[in-house]
Structures are given as structure tokens and as C-alpha cells.
Amino acid sequence: MKHGRAGPMHLGLFLKATGHHIAAWHHPGVALDAVTNARHFIELAQAAERAALDFVFFADSLGVREGQADYICKFSQFIAYLEPLTLLSAMATHTDRIGLVSTASTSYQQPYHVARLFASLDHISGGRAGWNVVTSVNDAEGLNFGRTGHFGHDERYARAEEFVDIVKGLLDSWDDDAFIHDRASGRFFNPAALHTLDHHGKYYDVRGPLNMARPPQGYPVIFQAGTSGPGRDLAARTAEGIFTGALTLENARAYYADVKGRAAEHGRSPEELVILPGVTVVVGRTEAEATEKDRYLQSLIREDVGMRYLEELLGMDLAGCSPDEPLPDRSSSRAELGMFKTVTALARDERLTMRQLYRRLAGSYGKLTLVGSVERVVETMSQWYREKGCDGFILQPSVLPHDMDDIQNLLVPALRAAGLIRNKYEGATLRQHLGLARPHDRSGS
């Protein structure tokens, strides 16, 4: 391959109903019922499969986002939407190869539920499921589960580590060959191939076993998006796919080296981790065409929405500030988090006004945005890949389904022409797409 790295660049597709741009739902090409329109999502997954992308991904929340009512009304398409595992199960019956990945919180769900849900999705899809491990950060979620406040930051991650261990243990309740279905002997399964977890930990007591055969992949592929110190440790210890939010190649390379280096501390090889920065691409056949697409999207942003968006992104009070001023040096509820540090560094280093900052980040929720001719965008993606800033990307389209046409017809063909991605699927499971080994069962088979 021309890029000089072993194996293909990996590409996932992060689906939000009308797209990631904060003004996406104002675009005339968007279906306003998209948030609850299963057919809309199925068609997007089918398009991603035609492009031979590795997977589609859904984020999730267990509560309604709260904040200034006027802002929420104007901005958020994410107030009410379909439960993603239910939706992915429907999508599994309309696709054959594309991976199906969803968030499930370790803060307000139980390990047994999560193990059973993802094992079921893996069986339904024939081995295409992935679980994005998150610790909830929305205060409203806690209120829905009998808590008046969040777990502390470090406790959330400690709970998550134990939670993931339990889920893996439950998924190993049965050996791969436990169900022998032997009519002649009258034995449906082998009792010796059944294992009881009997976990008693700091946060959870779970007996097991799971009432579900071992999934086709052994475990669904485990994703995580750690940016803080504890988050990076959790990713290095437990994750196989890692979502990141680097905005510069320098930061991407530092994160890549750090997390892959931490993997060795947990007895893992760097090749067991696939690191995928989020990226929004606004491409055209020429620079002018791409710039015009971006200009139109930015024209849809209301000033009050842009400023409130920055407040939410940074956990910072910007009341009384002019959007044409630099970002003020104020305290933040998210001062220790990777997103805050990354965005404030961008604003400082490029001397951006708040208006310039929210426009820069409007299409990607604080992730990388590339605007330009498809050749220039591919050149940048290739550089990040060649120079070990990533193992691929998770695409975050600004407007859906509009941007899917550009991904299929412009971006993917150009990436293939550059020798960066495969021409077709070479495996059947998500693990095979990502070059990840299938974990052995307890018998070692």
C-alpha cells in the first residue's frame, strides 16, 4: 500500500439523526422526523456498508439534556431519540457486514443487563457488535436513577473497570462448544462447559452465569474514549477501539504514543488497540466548492446558540461576553477534562475569537474538522495515519443524509486511490474488520 503502514486505515461512521453540526436540523435537506425514523438510519447503515466502512456508531444518554430552555429548543436534536441497541438490532437484519457499535453507561446500568444486551446483538448480527464503555457525565441521568448527584470522577472510572471485568466474565459463562444439540444422547448442552462467575467486588456482587450462549466474537469489540488520566488507563487496560478528540497532529501523536505505551503496563500489545480520532470532513471537487458548503452551514448558526454551545462544551459561564472577544480565562466545571484542555489550547494558540471558535467546532462537537478539496483532505488524513497519530478515523458527518453522498462518492474513492483503505470487506465480523483477535473461552479454545 502507498501509505507505508501495515494494514488498512480503519473508518467508522458516527451517526446522529440529522448530523453533528449544531445547526444541522436547519438544513433544507434534512428530514425533521429523522430522530425516530428507523428507515432513515437503516439506509445510512446500508450506505456505509456499500462503502465498506468498518462500523456505524451511536452515542447514548439516559436522560434529557438540561440547560437554558431557549438554547435547548433551538439547538438540540438530541432530546428524544431511539434507544440505540434496539435500533442496531433492527439495522442488523438489513445489513450483512457493517459493524454495529453503541454506547452503554457503566454508571447507571447493571453489568448483567449490558452483557446480555450486547451478547444478543452479537448473535443477531452474526458477530458485528461493539460496546462503547462510558461513564455518565449528565447530571440528569443520575436523577433518573435515584441519585441527587454524580459519582466522583475517579469513582466513575473505578466502577467502570470493575463493570467491564464483570461483563467479560459473564460473556465467558459458556464455552464456545457448550451447546452440543445431540438429539441421539438427549443432551442439549454440556454441563461441564457452564461456568458461574460468582463475582464479589467493591461495587458489584454478580453471581451469574449469563443466560446466553457465548457470542460469535467471544466478546463484542470494546470501545472507550478516555482523555483524562484515569480514562486513558481504562482505555489502555480494557479497550480495543479508542475514540479520541485530538485537534492537531502533534496532540494526536502524543496521545497515540501515550495510550499504546500504557497498554504494555497491562500486558497488552499496542496492536490490540485501534485509535480513531473523530473527524468531520467537508469536501468538494475543488477548494471553492468545499468552502462554499462550509460557509452555508456556518450561516445557519444562531449567535446565541453558538455561545451557549461553547458554554456546554467547556463547562464555562460566558454570560455577558461578546462573541467577537477572545475566550475569557474563567473557571470551568470541566477544567481537568481532555476536551476542555484541547479546546482552550486551540483558542489560545490560534488566537480565535469565541465566534471563530464555535464556528470551527460547530460541525464536530469539539473534534477535528477538515474543509477542502477531497485531495487535500485525504492528504491530511494520510499524514495523521502515516505519522502515527491514529489507526484511522471515526467520521462525524455535519448533515445527514446529505454528507453521506460526499463520503461515498468523493472521500472513499479518493482514500482507495491513495491505497489507504480496502476495496471490499475481507472478513465477516467487526473484529476481523479491525484486525483484532477473537478472545479464547475459559477452556482456551
Side-chain angles (χ1 to χ4, degrees):
M1 283 194 162
K2 300 176 186 177
H3 51 75
R5 290 273 302 272
M9 174 191 288
H10 297 292
L11 289 179
L13 181 68
F14 186 168
L15 291 177
K16 288 189 176 180
T18 62
H20 286 256
H21 197 278
I22 63 174
W25 72 275
H26 292 285
H27 192 286
V30 161
L32 295 179
D33 70 342
V35 289
T36 53
N37 186 335
R39 173 52 57 183
H40 166 73
F41 289 107
I42 288 168
E43 290 174 355
L44 289 171
Q46 290 171 330
E49 186 167 80
R50 288 193 294 272
L53 302 188
D54 291 300
F55 62 88
V56 293
F57 165 66
F58 286 90
D60 193 26
S61 173
L62 298 172
V64 172
R65 182 184 298 180
E66 295 181 348
Q68 298 174 10
D70 189 50
Y71 161 71
I72 294 295
C73 177
K74 293 172 183 173
F75 159 47
S76 189
Q77 55 170 300
F78 316 123
I79 292 298
Y81 47 91
L82 294 171
E83 191 283 314
L85 279 165
T86 306
L87 179 58
L88 288 174
S89 295
M91 292 167 66
T93 66
H94 292 273
T95 55
D96 297 308
R97 295 291 189 89
I98 191 85
L100 305 167
V101 184
S102 174
T103 288
S105 172
T106 60
S107 299
Y108 301 116
Q109 300 194 64
Q110 290 295 317
Y112 195 94
H113 288 144
V114 168
R116 192 173 186 221
L117 286 166
F118 280 94
S120 297
L121 178 61
D122 208 47
H123 279 287
I124 290 168
S125 65
R128 295 185 282 137
W131 169 31
N132 181 41
V133 179
V134 301
T135 66
S136 297
V137 297
N138 182 345
D139 290 335
E141 293 181 74
L143 296 174
N144 289 336
F145 293 89
R147 292 187 60 86
T148 57
H150 259 324
F151 298 105
H153 182 270
D154 290 348
E155 182 182 356
R156 290 204 311 272
Y157 282 99
R159 291 173 65 92
E161 283 201 27
E162 185 177 339
F163 193 112
V164 173
D165 287 344
I166 297 167
V167 169
K168 287 182 174 180
L170 289 170
L171 293 169
D172 279 333
S173 293
W174 302 86
D175 291 345
D176 287 325
D177 60 357
F179 292 89
I180 55 180
H181 306 152
D182 187 350
R183 287 193 176 98
S185 67
R187 297 208 319 162
F188 192 79
F189 70 94
N190 176 11
L194 173 62
H195 310 284
T196 299
L197 180 63
D198 200 25
H199 173 90
H200 302 284
K202 182 176 180 179
Y203 300 107
Y204 299 98
D205 290 285
V206 181
R207 178 180 179 274
L210 188 68
N211 60 340
M212 173 66 61
R214 196 163 192 260
Q217 296 186 105
Y219 311 145
V221 177
I222 295 177
F223 290 80
Q224 214 265 328
T227 52
S228 65
R232 293 184 187 205
D233 281 335
L234 179 63
R237 178 177 180 270
T238 66
E240 297 167 295
I242 301 174
F243 300 141
T244 75
L247 293 172
T248 66
L249 177 56
E250 179 183 9
N251 289 341
R253 293 184 67 197
Y255 181 93
Y256 188 94
D258 178 43
V259 174
K260 294 222 173 189
R262 293 183 192 220
E265 299 172 12
H266 300 285
R268 305 181 69 198
S269 164
E271 286 71 34
E272 295 178 52
L273 283 67
V274 177
I275 295 180
L276 304 167
V279 63
T280 293
V281 295
V282 181
V283 296
R285 291 171 178 81
T286 65
E287 292 287 323
E289 183 180 63
T291 300
E292 177 55 28
K293 289 179 184 179
D294 185 59
R295 185 207 64 76
Y296 176 69
L297 282 173
Q298 307 307 355
S299 74
L300 300 178
I301 305 172
R302 295 175 57 102
E303 183 179 290
D304 56 338
V305 170
M307 291 296 286
R308 183 64 183 89
Y309 171 67
L310 280 185
E311 288 189 327
E312 182 182 82
L313 200 65
L314 298 171
M316 180 184 289
D317 181 6
L318 299 176
C321 294
S322 165
D324 295 311
E325 298 173 350
L327 192 68
D329 183 12
R330 293 186 179 178
S331 61
S332 166
S333 62
R334 300 184 183 178
E336 298 304 316
L337 299 183
M339 173 75 79
F340 176 85
K341 293 179 178 180
T342 299
V343 172
T344 53
L346 174 70
R348 179 188 64 248
D349 294 347
E350 298 194 18
R351 299 182 180 180
L352 301 177
T353 66
M354 284 179 279
R355 188 188 307 278
Q356 291 170 327
L357 185 61
Y358 72 62
R359 285 180 173 175
R360 175 76 70 86
L361 304 175
S364 59
Y365 201 74
K367 307 299 189 300
L368 178 68
T369 297
L370 301 177
V371 179
S373 68
V374 67
E375 291 82 8
R376 189 161 70 87
V377 167
V378 166
E379 181 180 350
T380 301
M381 294 173 71
S382 176
Q383 183 184 12
W384 279 49
Y385 183 63
R386 289 194 320 269
E387 298 184 15
K388 296 187 177 180
C390 66
D391 296 307
F393 295 89
I394 181 163
L395 303 173
Q396 301 184 172
S398 292
V399 178
L400 287 171
H402 179 274
D403 284 11
M404 199 63 218
D405 290 339
D406 287 344
I407 290 170
Q408 281 187 281
N409 300 326
L410 294 177
L411 182 65
V412 165
L415 289 169
R416 284 182 178 152
L420 288 162
I421 61 173
R422 60 172 174 259
N423 292 321
K424 61 182 180 179
Y425 291 111
E426 297 170 359
T429 71
L430 179 54
R431 288 189 171 279
Q432 290 169 339
H433 299 342
L434 296 174
L436 299 170
R438 184 183 186 276
H440 296 299
D441 64 14
R442 290 195 185 190
S443 72
S445 63

